[in-house]
Amino acid sequence: MSRRKIIFGAVLLVLVTFLTTSAGFLYLMNAWSSDVASTIRVLRALQVVKARYVEDVPVDTLMAGSIKGMVNSLNDPHSVYMDAKMFKEFMIETEGSFGGVGIVIGTKDKLLTVVAPIEGTPGEQAGIKSGDQIIKIDGQDTKDLALDEAVNKIRGPEGSQVALTILRGQEVKEYTLTRSSIQIKTVAGKMLENNIGYIRIAMFNENTGNDFIHKLQELEKQGLKSLVLDLRDNPGGLLDESVKVASQFVPKGPVVSVVTRDGHRETHSSNLPAPKYPVAILVNGGSASASEIVAGAAQDTGVGTLIGTKTYGKGSVQTVIRLDEGSAIKLTIAKYLTPKDRSINGIGIEPDIKVELPETKDKDVQLDKALEVLKSKM
């Protein structure tokens, strides 16, 4: 009797395990069925093209094309597939130098748009401005050109030329630029009258945070009593570097929160016990991404006065995921929020004091206003 019970129990256990496993498998198959079917369809397309296309095409070329199409289907100009050449250039750029004409471009209202020219580069010297729309590159219409393709076409060997057709308002302008090696020094500064320090940040790369701290300490030794931080035409860059900069004047607490699609929140904070001096921050339509993190933190905490015009409005976070030794995907993985939980993506940040910069740059009225504000607080 005891043996029969043991056998019965064993059979029952096997049956229950089988049914549970089967139910789980069927549930997963039902959940994944559309994904599995889509994957099979992609593999089938690869097989058909490889076997039947009129010319032989390397599998690597077909796979690269399928990955690029996949990323492009997101309709997110900040998510990009980077082949070996693009990835190498991207890594060089974040380290502080790259080849090209020195303009940072993005997509705004589905149009290829100059986010900001970089100081001292062929683009800036030729007179290209933030907000300019690039309608042609070497005579080719950019209407259906992906952002990464446009970047590739504008960049090229040092000494070679590229022709850009720009739409500025209702006016069309033609520029022929000679490419050069772009070396970026991101931080520059000096002491102005009344012990007001001035620091300009051109963009945020791997050296920006430390360079800013060194420049700030240098000015403090000269008797700094207040600070103008110039973020105009700063297209952004690395999030961690923007937090380093903001933490030098934003008081203890959140600088920026990064929120993923599942609601996970990662908050980057300042440990500064208290603000040391008044700060005025200059911004405009070319102030984007990491610049807006600094500006938003200063505005929300009340430690800084924003002066100029509305910022660009790029409030998303990208990470670079390597696919192999050569290629990678730069993918939007989250949105960021200011200390007061504002999302500025596609909206931008309105300055506390709006000051338009006139076309004739005989006088920097935005800087003049910043000096006026700071003098009133000293």
Side-chain angles (χ1 to χ4, degrees):
M1 187 70 177
S2 174
R3 187 180 176 189
R4 289 179 63 190
K5 283 183 177 179
I6 292 171
I7 293 172
F8 177 76
V11 171
L12 184 62
L13 180 62
V14 170
L15 182 60
V16 169
T17 303
F18 172 76
L19 290 173
T20 304
T21 303
S22 298
F25 178 74
L26 288 172
Y27 172 79
L28 290 174
M29 283 302 294
N30 183 57
W32 293 344
S33 59
S34 61
D35 292 344
V36 171
S38 296
T39 303
I40 291 172
R41 190 161 66 248
V42 171
L43 293 174
R44 173 63 178 154
L46 178 67
Q47 179 193 27
V48 167
V49 174
K50 181 64 181 167
R52 302 290 300 276
Y53 184 62
V54 66
E55 295 178 6
D56 184 47
V57 182
V59 172
D60 284 352
T61 301
L62 296 175
M63 290 307 296
S66 64
I67 297 169
K68 183 177 179 180
M70 184 192 310
V71 177
N72 287 347
S73 73
L74 301 174
N75 290 319
D76 174 14
H78 307 300
S79 293
V80 179
Y81 167 67
M82 296 184 283
D83 60 20
K85 181 175 181 290
M86 280 187 66
F87 182 51
K88 183 179 179 181
E89 288 178 351
F90 174 81
M91 294 306 293
I92 291 172
E93 181 176 341
T94 58
E95 289 166 5
S97 65
F98 59 96
V101 298
I103 57 173
V104 178
I105 60 174
T107 303
K108 197 163 190 177
D109 300 326
K110 297 184 178 180
L111 296 171
L112 195 65
T113 305
V114 176
V115 177
I118 298 169
E119 291 173 16
T121 64
E124 192 253 358
Q125 290 167 353
I128 291 177
K129 300 180 179 181
S130 61
D132 283 350
Q133 295 169 349
I134 303 173
I135 56 177
K136 289 183 182 180
I137 302 171
D138 285 333
Q140 180 183 349
D141 199 312
T142 62
K143 185 179 179 182
D144 298 316
L145 201 62
L147 181 60
D148 56 323
E149 291 177 301
V151 170
N152 267 344
K153 287 182 177 297
I154 293 173
R155 290 184 180 172
E158 184 178 357
S160 62
Q161 291 188 326
V162 60
L164 301 180
T165 304
I166 298 289
L167 180 64
R168 183 180 300 158
Q170 301 299 316
E171 187 180 4
V172 175
K173 292 177 171 285
E174 301 285 348
Y175 293 91
T176 300
L177 306 175
T178 301
R179 299 180 177 99
S180 67
S181 177
I182 310 299
Q183 303 290 328
I184 301 173
K185 183 181 178 184
T186 64
V187 177
K190 58 185 176 181
M191 186 67 81
L192 304 177
E193 58 186 26
N194 298 105
N195 293 100
I196 298 175
Y198 170 88
I199 298 180
R200 161 79 182 149
I201 301 180
M203 66 183 300
F204 292 86
N205 67 18
E206 290 179 351
N207 305 312
T208 302
N210 288 336
D211 288 349
F212 177 78
I213 291 169
H214 292 152
K215 179 56 68 175
L216 192 60
Q217 290 172 344
E218 179 186 309
L219 294 176
E220 285 174 344
K221 288 176 182 176
Q222 296 175 34
L224 175 73
K225 291 183 179 178
S226 59
L227 175 68
V228 176
L229 178 59
D230 192 345
L231 298 178
R232 291 175 294 184
D233 291 329
N234 180 322
L238 302 178
L239 181 145
D240 288 345
E241 298 302 306
S242 71
V243 174
K244 274 187 190 178
V245 168
S247 296
Q248 299 307 304
F249 51 85
V250 170
K252 189 173 184 177
V255 171
V256 63
S257 293
V258 178
V259 183
T260 61
R261 72 176 184 184
D262 61 2
H264 174 74
R265 176 186 287 243
E266 181 181 337
T267 300
H268 300 257
S269 298
S270 167
N271 293 314
L272 187 70
K276 295 184 281 186
Y277 30 69
V279 178
I281 301 178
L282 302 178
V283 294
N284 64 6
S287 306
S289 186
S291 295
E292 293 172 294
I293 288 176
V294 176
Q299 189 177 62
D300 278 8
T301 58
V303 73
T305 304
L306 268 56
I307 297 167
T309 55
K310 188 166 76 168
T311 64
Y312 185 81
K314 180 183 179 291
S316 58
V317 179
Q318 287 72 41
T319 189
V320 176
I321 304 166
R322 297 188 70 154
L323 302 179
D324 52 36
E325 289 186 5
S327 63
I329 293 176
K330 184 170 71 169
L331 191 68
T332 298
I333 57 163
K335 292 183 179 180
Y336 72 72
L337 304 176
T338 68
K340 287 187 176 179
D341 275 0
R342 287 190 293 163
S343 173
I344 58 91
N345 198 44
I347 301 169
I349 300 173
E350 291 285 355
D352 299 304
I353 302 173
K354 187 173 182 179
V355 180
E356 296 278 356
L357 197 62
E359 284 293 323
T360 55
K361 292 186 179 180
D362 298 333
K363 198 172 183 183
D364 190 341
V365 293
Q366 293 172 336
L367 177 58
D368 288 346
K369 187 64 179 179
L371 295 176
E372 178 189 323
V373 169
L374 291 177
K375 284 175 187 175
S376 70
K377 294 183 178 182
M378 291 170 65

